[in-house]
Structure formats: structure tokens, C-alpha cells
Amino acid sequence: MPITSKYSDATVEQILTEIAVVLEKHSASPELSLMIAGNIATNVLNQDVAASQRKVIAEKFAQALISSIEEKSH
């Protein structure tokens, strides 16, 4: 069952495009791109999520990431 987002596809795609442009500008390797994405996720969790919820949200995020790559590989 697909997950419905409260954000429009257009908004998500626009932000992703802008981030991709920055990564390309800096010739970021896949490893650097993933490191940056991980740092962003960590910063969001630490700055914007209550300490009592961080681990639960991080685990859900990790599971969603795993699910998204498993779905794409089939």
C-alpha cells in the first residue's frame, strides 16, 4: 500500500532538484552525497524532534529507506 504524503509531488521534486544541483556543482560522489543526507537527517532529528522521540523516528526513517530501496530493486 503506497504511503500518502501531505506534501505535493511538485514541492518534493523541486527541493530534490535544487539539492541535486548543489551536489552536482560540488561534484559530490555517491558516498559524500549519502554522508550529507545522513548529516541532514541527524541535524533535523537533533534540532526539531523531542529527545524522547528521536530513536523511534530514526528507526522509522531507516525502515522507510530500506523499504524504498527494496521496492526499487524488484
Side-chain angles (χ1 to χ4, degrees):
M1 174 196 232
I3 296 174
T4 334
S5 175
K6 63 181 175 182
Y7 305 103
S8 73
D9 288 346
T11 299
V12 172
E13 288 301 319
Q14 180 62 41
I15 293 169
L16 285 172
T17 299
E18 291 175 20
I19 292 170
V21 167
V22 171
L23 293 172
E24 186 175 312
K25 174 184 171 187
H26 292 278
S27 301
S29 66
E31 293 84 4
L32 178 57
S33 297
L34 288 169
M35 186 176 84
I36 290 166
N39 285 348
I40 290 169
T42 299
N43 288 343
V44 168
L45 287 166
N46 285 333
Q47 293 173 10
D48 300 327
V49 176
S52 63
Q53 292 297 306
R54 289 179 191 151
K55 184 176 179 184
V56 171
I57 300 291
E59 288 171 344
K60 287 181 182 180
F61 179 82
Q63 188 55 55
L65 176 61
I66 291 166
S67 293
S68 72
I69 59 172
E70 287 174 348
E71 288 174 12
K72 293 185 190 286
S73 66
H74 289 134

